[in-house]
Amino acid sequence: MDWGLQNRLAGIINPQNNRALMLAVDHGYFLGPTEKLEDPAKVIAPLLKYCDSLMLSRGVQRACVSAATRTPMVLRVSGGSSIIGEDLSKEDITVSIQDALRLNASALAMSVFVGSKYEHQTIVNLGRLVSDAQQYGIPVLAVTAVGKELGKDARYLSLACRIAAEQGAHIVKTYYCENFEKVANSCPVPIIVAGGKKIPERDALQLTYNSIKGGAVGVDMGRNIWQSENPVAMIRAVRSIVHGNSDVNRAYEMYKKLSSEHPKRQDGQNTQRPNTSPAPEHTPQNTP
Ligand code: 5RP
């Protein structure tokens, strides 16, 4: 592997423990002002130091994230459809490699819609993106998107993940499901698990724990962090599972303790002030 590619990947998946905590804030690219993500800058600032990488669109990166950050950016480069449009699976690549380089992207993320009307287009786009990005040492994260008509079971997800890996994706993002081990074991590249729609905090921590136990390197979590009553407490609890080897009980106790120390404000944001000190080292020994 080229040094640049390896180095970028190391910023996303910690090579010391092979674990990853990616914070997803890219939802607006097809959902518009998603609930509790209406003001991305406000959401991102207090959470940035607790994630290993941030997944977002170029518009939000330029407008809402300080260029002084040292957190790796996972840039969403696919789009073209909206939640009120004809078909969500009709996506194309919307960002050039040149612009991704200007944004110092650590990885490029795009969705593949296996089994959808636009399956062919999105899989071919993934192959092309890998070929282009590989020339510059930029890894590609393939997002196995699911729709109403697409399944979310181990049979479907292992098919989708394997196809994405066969096209050359360096990391695959998918969903947790029953028999998740089957999905992880048949995918030759690292898998991260999306959080999905908001569920109770303890359940989201259980999902994190189960995903790692089932073979994922970590999570790419969005709504279950920033739609939580206490986003900072939640990301720290998730981090304690990903990097601190906490079990669910310990992580949930941590969430409750941190929540009581920093009760939420009227506007739903956590009262903990954004801390601009360097992020903690991502070592398993670290207290998350
Ligand atoms: C949207 C995405 C999201 O980044 C992904 O689903 C993770 O966010 P969440 O945990 O809210 O599901 O790729 O297409």
Side-chain angles (χ1 to χ4, degrees):
M1 217 189 274
D2 288 340
W3 194 95
L5 189 81
Q6 215 174 331
N7 181 253
R8 286 185 175 93
L9 275 174
I12 297 167
I13 304 172
N14 182 352
Q16 289 175 35
N17 62 357
N18 201 33
R19 295 277 176 90
L21 172 49
M22 191 180 289
L23 175 65
V25 293
D26 62 320
H27 303 58
Y29 93 96
F30 74 99
L31 286 173
T34 315
E35 192 190 344
K36 299 261 183 101
L37 191 57
E38 292 89 350
D39 184 344
K42 238 182 177 172
V43 172
I44 294 166
L47 301 176
L48 200 53
K49 69 174 285 201
Y50 298 108
C51 61
D52 301 324
S53 63
L54 184 67
M55 181 187 182
L56 74 183
S57 67
R58 67 174 158 185
V60 166
Q61 185 175 328
R62 285 206 164 97
C64 307
V65 183
S66 162
T69 184
R70 294 174 64 195
T71 304
M73 297 292 138
V74 177
L75 185 66
R76 174 165 284 275
V77 297
S78 69
S81 295
S82 83
I83 191 71
I84 59 166
E86 174 208 314
D87 191 328
L88 271 181
S89 67
K90 195 175 180 184
E91 283 200 356
D92 250 311
I93 303 298
T94 56
V95 179
S96 67
I97 295 284
Q98 287 74 15
D99 208 29
L101 287 167
R102 276 192 288 272
L103 286 158
N104 197 27
S106 288
L108 308 181
M110 67 161 292
S111 298
V112 282
F113 295 83
V114 174
S116 76
K117 188 171 162 194
Y118 295 96
E119 154 183 293
H120 173 79
Q121 174 177 323
T122 58
I123 294 174
V124 170
N125 281 342
L126 173 60
R128 288 201 183 117
L129 184 68
V130 171
S131 302
D132 292 346
Q134 193 90 32
Q135 288 186 53
Y136 300 95
I138 306 179
V140 171
L141 164 67
V143 175
T144 61
V146 294
K148 265 184 244 141
E149 67 289 354
L150 304 174
K152 223 176 173 181
D153 60 7
R155 193 159 170 241
Y156 171 76
L157 294 175
S158 36
L159 172 81
C161 290
R162 181 59 178 265
I163 288 172
E166 298 268 351
Q167 284 299 331
H170 302 87
I171 309 173
V172 175
K173 185 177 92 170
T174 195
Y175 289 86
Y176 186 73
C177 61
E178 216 176 295
N179 297 323
F180 180 73
E181 292 79 2
K182 177 178 152 61
V183 181
N185 290 341
S186 58
C187 182
V189 299
I191 288 193
I192 51 172
V193 168
K197 66 173 194 255
K198 177 76 177 71
I199 50 178
E201 276 77 5
R202 200 183 192 289
D203 295 349
L205 295 170
Q206 186 76 58
L207 174 100
T208 304
Y209 183 83
N210 292 350
S211 301
I212 289 171
K213 206 157 171 261
V217 296
V219 290
D220 178 21
M221 194 171 270
R223 287 164 288 179
N224 277 295
I225 290 174
W226 37 262
Q227 286 182 348
S228 165
E229 293 280 280
N230 288 281
V232 171
M234 187 57 184
I235 197 169
R236 291 184 66 180
V238 171
R239 189 178 171 82
S240 79
I241 295 175
V242 175
H243 286 297
N245 289 322
S246 286
D247 61 18
V248 178
N249 285 338
R250 194 171 143 217
Y252 189 54
E253 286 309 312
M254 180 180 187
Y255 169 75
K256 286 194 295 187
K257 184 170 178 285
L258 291 169
S259 295
S260 65
E261 284 167 12
H262 304 284
K264 79 179 175 86
R265 290 194 319 228
Q266 295 281 308
D267 62 4
Q269 293 290 317
N270 192 280
T271 55
Q272 191 162 340
R273 265 192 244 127
N275 184 337
T276 48
S277 63
E281 284 303 313
H282 301 150
T283 59
Q285 299 93 323
N286 242 5
T287 312

